[in-house]
Amino acid sequence: MTAPTLDVIGFGNAIVDVLARAEDDFLATHGMRKGGMTLIDEERAETVYAAMGSGIEISGGSAANTMAGIAELGGRAGFVGKVRDDALGAIFAHDIGAAGVAYRTPAATAGAATARCLILVTPDGERTMNTYLGAAQDLTPDDVAAEMVAAATVTYLEGYLWDPPPAKQAFLKAAGIAHAAGRSVALTLSDAFCVDRYRAEFLNLMREGTVDLVFANESELKSLYETADFDTALAQLAADVRRAVVTRSEQGALWLSGNERVAVPAYPVEQVVDTTGAGDLFAAGFLHGFARGFAPEESLRLGALCAAEVISHMGARPERQLKQLAQENGLRV
């Protein structure tokens, strides 16, 4: 097996987050449910985007956020995700490249526009999200960067991408390339609603060995096994997949591998400002350590620290330099 040139390569929805401040009456005028996330079509996206005030545009998406976090820690990260050759597509490509993430997926020259999440922040700090998935859903097996996958210690797959059939095939192709090269494949379950839609398929991916490492939070785990009992779900998870990481918000996180269990507490935070991106940045810290051969406890602590940083401010990307933050907290990177 050749030495890896990437620590982690992520596959996911390539989305541009557009954040703008708005009053409550703006939400009412446009029929938005405050604090919610609604999937919208392109026409609706254009209408809302035109009506929004000036704001901030930055590349986002769950797996993309994770890869940016790994790069921020000093890791070698790559990303595969589809955009259109439009203004927002150019913003996505620029931002993820500027974050230090290798990104080579060719932009679509036809079809749906680049995905965007239009985020209205009201004076009370509440975020109301309107998401148009657009070109992100058009990822195909032809977009799989085979050489990058084979060169990455871990291939990380975003559960949200399991919706469109061509993206699903891309996902499976990437997993096959990774395993053929002797690498690991990780899957994040993304959210409980995603699990509800694809429970049987996700379980098959785990039980058949298509994925080696699963990330889940407590609600996703309970949804996966259709139980309200955490310990029951945990025991089943340990039986179904080689390795797993389970996050529990303020109760910390767990590592499972066979009979091995490792738990760490959450890092204290003065004030939780915005939980968006907590899971993404936890995965960044953990995967960075895992890819570099750190012990599970070290990797969990690094993940917990990264999650604590991102929930202490607005937005799903870190504001502190994560490598420096880790060193200040006595963690190696």
Side-chain angles (χ1 to χ4, degrees), residues 4-291:
T5 56
L6 286 175
D7 294 312
V8 187
I9 185 168
F11 282 71
N13 287 320
I15 299 174
V16 175
D17 290 339
V18 183
L19 295 95
R21 299 202 173 273
E23 299 297 327
D24 288 282
D25 58 3
F26 181 93
L27 306 185
T29 298
H30 292 274
M32 297 176 188
R33 178 171 54 88
K34 185 173 180 178
M37 194 287 282
T38 305
L39 290 175
I40 58 176
D41 61 19
E42 186 168 359
E43 182 180 359
R44 170 76 166 163
E46 293 294 346
T47 300
V48 174
Y49 184 63
M52 291 171 68
S54 61
I56 299 168
E57 297 176 339
I58 185 169
S59 63
S62 176
N65 289 337
T66 298
M67 296 308 106
I70 290 170
E72 181 73 20
L73 285 162
R76 302 165 299 175
F79 179 72
V80 176
K82 200 74 171 177
V83 298
R84 177 69 194 274
D85 59 346
D86 53 20
L88 289 180
I91 287 171
F92 182 90
H94 173 270
D95 280 358
I96 200 161
V101 178
Y103 176 63
R104 300 174 193 164
T105 312
T109 57
T114 295
R116 69 208 65 172
C117 184
L118 308 176
I119 304 169
L120 287 310
V121 184
T122 42
D124 58 0
E126 188 70 78
R127 294 156 64 91
T128 301
M129 297 181 284
N130 303 268
T131 304
Y132 166 60
L133 290 173
Q137 300 282 277
D138 294 335
L139 191 76
T140 73
D142 290 341
D143 295 312
V144 174
E147 289 184 6
M148 291 175 71
V149 172
T153 300
V154 181
T155 292
Y156 178 72
L157 304 166
E158 180 184 312
Y160 285 127
L161 202 60
W162 198 248
D163 280 309
K168 187 180 298 189
Q169 293 307 311
F171 189 124
L172 294 172
K173 179 180 177 180
I177 292 168
H179 282 150
R183 313 301 190 189
S184 295
V185 177
L187 167 71
T188 174
L189 297 184
S190 291
D191 74 24
F193 297 109
C194 193
V195 174
D196 287 341
R197 292 195 298 276
Y198 299 111
R199 180 177 294 106
E201 292 177 69
F202 285 166
L203 286 169
N204 282 339
L205 291 174
M206 294 159 55
R207 290 167 178 167
E208 293 172 1
T210 303
V211 298
D212 311 298
L213 169 62
V214 168
F215 287 84
N217 63 28
E218 192 166 348
S219 66
E220 292 157 5
L221 181 61
K222 290 177 178 177
S223 173
L224 185 66
Y225 293 110
E226 298 180 277
T227 178
D229 185 76
F230 178 71
D231 290 331
T232 298
L234 206 61
Q236 189 61 57
L237 180 67
D240 281 342
V241 70
R242 288 176 62 198
R243 306 181 186 97
V245 174
V246 181
T247 56
R248 306 188 71 191
S249 300
E250 69 278 1
Q251 295 182 63
L254 289 166
W255 157 266
L256 306 176
S257 182
N259 293 324
E260 182 186 9
R261 305 279 174 96
V262 178
V264 302
Y267 266 84
V269 178
E270 275 189 30
Q271 182 183 4
V272 177
V273 175
D274 177 11
T275 59
T276 306
D280 303 340
L281 268 295
F282 181 93
F286 183 89
L287 285 168
H288 178 79
F290 178 80

